[in-house]
């Protein structure tokens, strides 16, 4: 039996027999939902001592003597009493090949210290916030668009989500609908929150293409009825594949925006510690 199968078994049957490392929470899986053969989300219990800012990530792993740790953005907002994650399934992935098998009642390990750059504190004040995501890169924005602070700081919030196929857009669409229909968040997001999604491999969907191409052609701004990005009004956050990060960063710099950080806020930020 290989190491990862051992870990999967430990996470289900004998987790209580494995010593939890220092600096790690051992939490119960509450809910698992599979969207496609590539994508799923899951919720775990939230430790009383766990504090994070919406948009940050943590390291998670399966219980075992030699756990594999990967960075996962927290998809739930900072006020939620559970912790949600959105994950890709990698058939041969050291972690996700087994993580996708978790069920309610199983145990998951989560390191105690969150971090990350996709937080509103890393941005200078502005009018319009762009959240650029591909695939499971939407996860930190799932947290942010459910945070009241985002709507207090920005007049308009535009979430872009690009995937290969229409089925992969379901998480983002459900998420935005949930926010708009929420008894409290709905009032804050009304007239402010917009979802712009597109696909790259499914000709049946009306919006086609990579977000950088849609920016370059002006189609993105035309369809949304907003002016092209400018450093006076617009702020950006980017999360996705390494190639997407590079291209979108270059696009924003072409509009005159400058990359910031927690230590030095500016007009856009990038999350580089990302799985999927």
């Amino acid at each position: 039996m290989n190491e990862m199968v051992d870990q999967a078994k430990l996470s289900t049957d004998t987790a209580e027999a494995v010593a939890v490392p220092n600096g790690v929470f051992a939490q119960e899986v509450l809910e698992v939902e599979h969207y496609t053969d590539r994508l799923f989300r899951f919720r775990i219990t939230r430790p009383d001592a766990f504090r994070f800012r919406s948009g940050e990530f943590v390291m998670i792993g399966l219980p075992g003597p030699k756990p594999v740790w990967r960075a996962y953005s927290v998809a739930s907002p900072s006020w939620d009493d559970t912790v949600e994650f959105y994950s890709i399934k990698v058939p041969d992935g050291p972690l996700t090949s087994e993580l996708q098998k978790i069920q309610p009642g199983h145990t998951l390990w989560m390191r105690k210290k969150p971090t990350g750059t996709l937080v509103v504190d890393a941005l200078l004040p502005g009018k319009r916030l762009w959240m650029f995501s591909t695939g499971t890169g939407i996860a930190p924005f799932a947290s942010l668009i459910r945070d009241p602070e985002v709507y207090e700081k920005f007049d308009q919030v535009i979430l872009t989500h690009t995937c290969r196929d229409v089925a992969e857009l379901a998480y983002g669409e459900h998420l935005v609908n949930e926010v708009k229909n929420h008894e409290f968040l709905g009032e804050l997001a009304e007239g402010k929150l917009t979802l712009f999604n597109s696909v790259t491999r499914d000709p049946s969907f009306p919006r086609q293409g990579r977000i950088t191409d849609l920016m370059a052609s002006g189609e993105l701004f035309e369809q949304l009825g907003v002016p092209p990005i400018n450093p006076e009004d617009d702020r950006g956050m980017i999360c996705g594949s390494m190639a997407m990060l590079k291209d979108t960063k270059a696009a924003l710099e072409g509009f005159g925006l400058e990359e910031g950080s927690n230590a030095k806020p500016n007009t856009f930020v990038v999350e580089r510690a990302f799985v999927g």
Side-chain angles (χ1 to χ4, degrees):
M1 185 178 290
N2 64 37
E3 177 184 306
M4 285 309 302
V5 173
D6 282 340
Q7 288 183 8
K9 181 175 176 58
L10 285 165
S11 71
T12 59
D13 301 332
T14 59
E16 67 278 1
V18 181
V20 180
N22 291 333
V24 172
F25 293 118
Q27 299 304 125
E28 180 184 352
V29 176
L30 298 174
E31 180 186 1
V32 182
E33 180 177 2
H34 295 266
Y35 290 90
T36 70
D37 59 357
R38 296 183 68 250
L39 300 168
F40 73 111
R41 72 173 181 90
F42 53 98
R43 283 185 176 270
I44 63 173
T45 53
R46 179 172 178 171
D48 291 338
F50 182 56
R51 298 289 182 269
F52 69 98
R53 295 178 296 172
S54 296
E56 289 188 317
F57 68 86
V58 291
M59 305 297 291
I60 65 173
L62 294 170
K66 295 181 179 179
V68 175
W69 298 97
R70 291 291 184 269
Y72 272 80
S73 292
V74 179
S76 46
S78 58
W79 51 261
D80 203 338
D81 58 2
T82 64
V83 185
E84 178 179 313
F85 299 99
Y86 184 50
S87 178
I88 194 170
K89 306 174 190 178
V90 181
D92 299 320
L95 177 60
T96 59
S97 60
E98 297 302 327
L99 186 64
Q100 64 184 288
K101 301 174 185 177
I102 59 173
Q103 298 291 331
H106 291 182
T107 298
L108 193 72
W109 281 356
M110 179 176 71
R111 285 186 175 162
K112 294 183 177 181
K113 184 173 175 56
T115 189
T117 57
L118 297 184
V119 294
V120 292
D121 291 342
L123 292 173
L124 295 173
K127 295 181 180 179
R128 187 179 300 110
L129 176 59
W130 294 86
M131 300 174 174
F132 298 100
S133 67
T134 55
T136 52
I138 196 174
F141 304 137
S143 175
L144 284 158
I145 68 170
R146 289 184 278 188
D147 191 324
E149 184 182 9
V150 170
Y151 303 105
E152 293 168 1
K153 290 193 171 184
F154 294 94
D155 298 331
Q156 191 171 11
V157 178
I158 301 173
L159 170 63
T160 81
H161 189 211
T162 301
C163 297
R164 299 188 307 178
D165 307 308
V166 172
E168 297 177 348
L169 300 176
Y171 179 78
E173 291 177 340
H174 173 79
L175 179 70
V176 171
N177 286 334
E178 179 183 278
V179 171
K180 290 184 175 181
N181 291 304
H182 191 274
E183 59 180 352
F184 173 60
L185 290 174
E187 293 183 11
L188 296 176
E190 185 175 1
K192 290 190 173 185
L193 177 61
T194 300
L195 172 65
F196 182 96
N197 50 20
S198 64
V199 298
T200 57
R201 298 188 184 181
D202 191 337
S204 67
F205 196 68
R207 290 181 296 280
Q208 298 282 321
R210 299 166 67 227
I211 196 65
T212 46
D213 292 337
L214 295 170
M215 277 194 279
S217 68
E219 185 177 345
L220 173 65
F221 313 115
E222 182 180 346
Q223 288 199 27
L224 289 172
V226 299
I229 291 171
N230 69 84
E232 288 74 32
D233 299 327
D234 295 284
R235 302 294 176 259
M237 293 179 162
I238 311 171
C239 192
S241 67
M242 290 305 295
M244 178 268 192
L245 298 183
K246 178 182 177 182
D247 292 346
T248 310
K249 177 179 183 291
L252 294 189
E253 289 174 339
F255 287 114
L257 274 62
E258 298 181 6
E259 185 173 357
S261 66
N262 281 283
K264 189 178 180 181
N266 215 310
T267 48
F268 79 91
V269 286
V270 180
E271 185 55 82
R272 293 181 173 84
F274 172 66
V275 174

